[in-house]
C-alpha cells in the first residue's frame, strides 16, 4: 500500500486512487495513519494548481448573488435595456440608482477578471 | 390469538416471550440481516483479497488473501429472498495467529443502550437461519471495538436450513466505544488459529477470541464448501424473537449510512459501465476546472472515502464523452453529507465545444 498527499488534508491511496479524507473515524484514514506510524512516508503533494483556487473563488462569487453566470448576465442586460429606454447608458449611473445592478456588475467584473487567469 | 403484554414481557402468538418491553420495533441491531443489499458486487461472487466488505455491512476478515469467496444467493429458506454464501476458494489451514471470520460491526451509538461495561449490562440474543455443506460445530461470538473483550458460543449446523439462536450475557467489564466507532461486533468463525480460540467458551474474557475448541475450520475444507446465512438478528434480551422485517427503503437507507454509490442499485461499481447515474457537467470553456457535486443519499457514519470511475474508459477515473481525458479528479470537499470533486477538463475537449464530463463515485464510511 502507498499513499500520496494532496494540496489539502485529503490523502490518495495510489493503488486504487481512492480519495481518503482526514477523518480519524474513517477506517481508510486510520489505516493510513497506522502505515505512517510504521515508518512509511507518503509521496509529496503536487504543486498546488492555482486554477482550482481561482475556480473556487469564481464559484464563491457567483454563489454570493444566488445565481449562475447565465442568469447574472441576463439580468445585467435586461436592466441595461430598461435604463436605456430612460436615456441612461452608463453602468456607473445605473449602479448608483440600483443596488441590485451594482452588486451584479461588481461580481461580473470580478468573475471576468478571474476567468482570464484560467 | 393476539399478542399480549404481561408482567413477563411481550407474549407472541407463537408463545414466545420477549422479556424486553419497549423493544417492539427496531430491535434488530444488525443491518441487512436478510441480505438483500449487495451494493458492491450485486450478486457476483467475490473472492476476498484480505479483510474487506462483501454484502452491505458484512465484512470478511481474512488473515490470508483469496481463501474465501462471498456471494449473495437466492437459495433461501421460506420467507426470505436472499442469503449470504461463504465458499472456500482455496483450502487453507490457518496458523495460530491467523483468523478468518464473517462479521458485522455495529456502530457504538446503536448499542449504547445495552450498557455493556456496566453492572447493568443486558443479555443479547443472536439468531439466524444457517446451513453448511460441512455440518458440525461452528462458533459465533461478540467482541468490543478494540477486540480485547470477547465471548464465543457454539452451535450445531446441519446441511438443512435451521434457525439457531444463542444468548450471551452482557459484559459488565471492558471498555465499550460509543458514538460512530465500533460499539460491538458479531462474528461467525470461518476457521481461526489457536491464538483466536477461546479457552473457555460462553463467558466474557479478555482477549480477541473468535472460535472455540472442537469447531470446524471452515476455510480448511475442500474448495467449494459453502456456509449459508440469512435472517441474522442480534437483539436485547434472552429470547430470539421472529426476524424483524423492515421496509426495503428503510433498509436501503440504513445501508447507505455506510456505503453509497452513484451507479444504479443493480450495478456493481466499475469502470466503463456507462453514464447511467453518473455525476456530470457540461462546459464550453477550456482549459478550466469544473466541480461536480453529489449530495449523499444518507448522512454517513463518518467522512467517507471516495472511489472514482470513468463511465466510458476502463483505465481512467473520469472522462469526457470522447473518453480521452486522463486525469484523476481531485477531492475538493468531502463531508458526511456532501461531496465536491474537481474535474480538470483542460487537457481534452470535444471539437467543437461544449462537452460533457462524467464520473461515477462510491462513498465508503464502513466501520
Amino acid at each position: 500500500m502507498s499513499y500520496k498527499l494532496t494540496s489539502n488534508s485529503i490523502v490518495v491511496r495510489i493503488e486504487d486512487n481512492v480519495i481518503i479524507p482526514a477523518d480519524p473515524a474513517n477506517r481508510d484514514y486510520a489505516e493510513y495513519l497506522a502505515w505512517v506510524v510504521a515508518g512509511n512516508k507518503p509521496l509529496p503533494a503536487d504543486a498546488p494548481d492555482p486554477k482550482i483556487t481561482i475556480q473556487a473563488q469564481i464559484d464563491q462569487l457567483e454563489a454570493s448573488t444566488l445565481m449562475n453566470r447565465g442568469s447574472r448576465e441576463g439580468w445585467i442586460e435586461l436592466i441595461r435595456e430598461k435604463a436605456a429606454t430612460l436615456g441612461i447608458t452608463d453602468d456607473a449611473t445605473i449602479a448608483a440608482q440600483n443596488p441590485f445592478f451594482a452588486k451584479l456588475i461588481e461580481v461580473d467584473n470580478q468573475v471576468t477578471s478571474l476567468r482570464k487567469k484560467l | 390469538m393476539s399478542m399480549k403484554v404481561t408482567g413477563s414481557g411481550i407474549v407472541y402468538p407463537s408463545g414466545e416471550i420477549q422479556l424486553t418491553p419497549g423493544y417492539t420495533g427496531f430491535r434488530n441491531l444488525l443491518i441487512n440481516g436478510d441480505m438483500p443489499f449487495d451494493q458492491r458486487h450485486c450478486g457476483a461472487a467475490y473472492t476476498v483479497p484480505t479483510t474487506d466488505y462483501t454484502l452491505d455491512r458484512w465484512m470478511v476478515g481474512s488473515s490470508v488473501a483469496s481463501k474465501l469467496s462471498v456471494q449473495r444467493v437466492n437459495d433461501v429458506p421460506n420467507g426470505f429472498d436472499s442469503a449470504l454464501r461463504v465458499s472456500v476458494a482455496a483450502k487453507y489451514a490457518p496458523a495460530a495467529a491467523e483468523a478468518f471470520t464473517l462479521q458485522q460491526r455495529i456502530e457504538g451509538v446503536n448499542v449504547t443502550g445495552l450498557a455493556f461495561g456496566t453492572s447493568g449490562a443486558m443479555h443479547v440474543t443472536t439468531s439466524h437461519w444457517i446451513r453448511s455443506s460441512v455440518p458440525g460445530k461452528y462458533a459465533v461470538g461478540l467482541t468490543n471495538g478494540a477486540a480485547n473483550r470477547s465471548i464465543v458460543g457454539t452451535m450445531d449446523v446441519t446441511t438443512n436450513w435451521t434457525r439457531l439462536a444463542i444468548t450471551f450475557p452482557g459484559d459488565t467489564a471492558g471498555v465499550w466505544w460509543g458514538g460512530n466507532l465500533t460499539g460491538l461486533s458479531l462474528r461467525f468463525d470461518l476457521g481461526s488459529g489457536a491464538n483466536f480460540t477461546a479457552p473457555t467458551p460462553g463467558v466474557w474474557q479478555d482477549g480477541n477470541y473468535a472460535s472455540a475448541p472442537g469447531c470446524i475450520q471452515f476455510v480448511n475444507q475442500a474448495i467449494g464448501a459453502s456456509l449459508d446465512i440469512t435472517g441474522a438478528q442480534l437483539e436485547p434480551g434472552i429470547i430470539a424473537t421472529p426476524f424483524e422485517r423492515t421496509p426495503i427503503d428503510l433498509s436501503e437507507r440504513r445501508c447507505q449510512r455506510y456505503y453509497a454509490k452513484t451507479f444504479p442499485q443493480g450495478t456493481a461499481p466499475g469502470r466503463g459501465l456507462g453514464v447511467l447515474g453518473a455525476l456530470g457537467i457540461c462546459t464550453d470553456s477550456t482549459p478550466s476546472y469544473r466541480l461536480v457535486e453529489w449530495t449523499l443519499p444518507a448522512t454517513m457514519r463518518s467522512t467517507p472515502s471516495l472511489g472514482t470511475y470513468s463511465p466510458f474508459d476502463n483505465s481512467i477515473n473520469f472522462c469526457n464523452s470522447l473518453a480521452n481525458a486522463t486525469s484523476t479528479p481531485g477531492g475538493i470537499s468531502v463531508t458526511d453529507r456532501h461531496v465536491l470533486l474537481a474535474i480538470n477538463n483542460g487537457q481534452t475537449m470535444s471539437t467543437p465545444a461544449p462537452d460533457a464530463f462524467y464520473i461515477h463515485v462510491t462513498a465508503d464510511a464502513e466501520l
Side-chain angles (χ1 to χ4, degrees), chain B residues 227-259:
Chain B
L227 178 69
D228 297 347
I229 298 173
T230 192
Q233 183 155 281
L234 179 67
E235 59 189 310
I238 64 171
I239 300 295
T241 65
F243 180 75
E244 181 178 55
R245 309 287 176 172
T246 50
I248 194 72
D249 52 336
L250 176 61
S251 297
E252 179 182 42
R253 187 57 62 94
R254 297 186 77 191
C255 289
Q256 287 171 331
R257 177 168 173 78
Y258 303 91
Y259 184 87

Side-chain angles (χ1 to χ4, degrees), chain A residues 19 23 25-26 28 49 55, chain B residues 289-290 301 303 305-306 364:
Chain A
I19 297 165
D23 181 346
N26 179 297
D28 293 319
D49 192 326
Q55 186 63 52
Chain B
Y289 280 79
R290 283 294 180 271
R301 180 193 66 83
T303 316
S305 300
L306 305 177
D364 188 336

Side-chain angles (χ1 to χ4, degrees), chain B residues 27-28 30 125-127 163 231-235 241-244:
Chain B
R27 63 186 188 282
N28 190 357
L30 303 178
T125 297
T126 181
S127 56
R163 188 173 191 239
Q233 183 155 281
L234 179 67
E235 59 189 310
T241 65
F243 180 75
E244 181 178 55

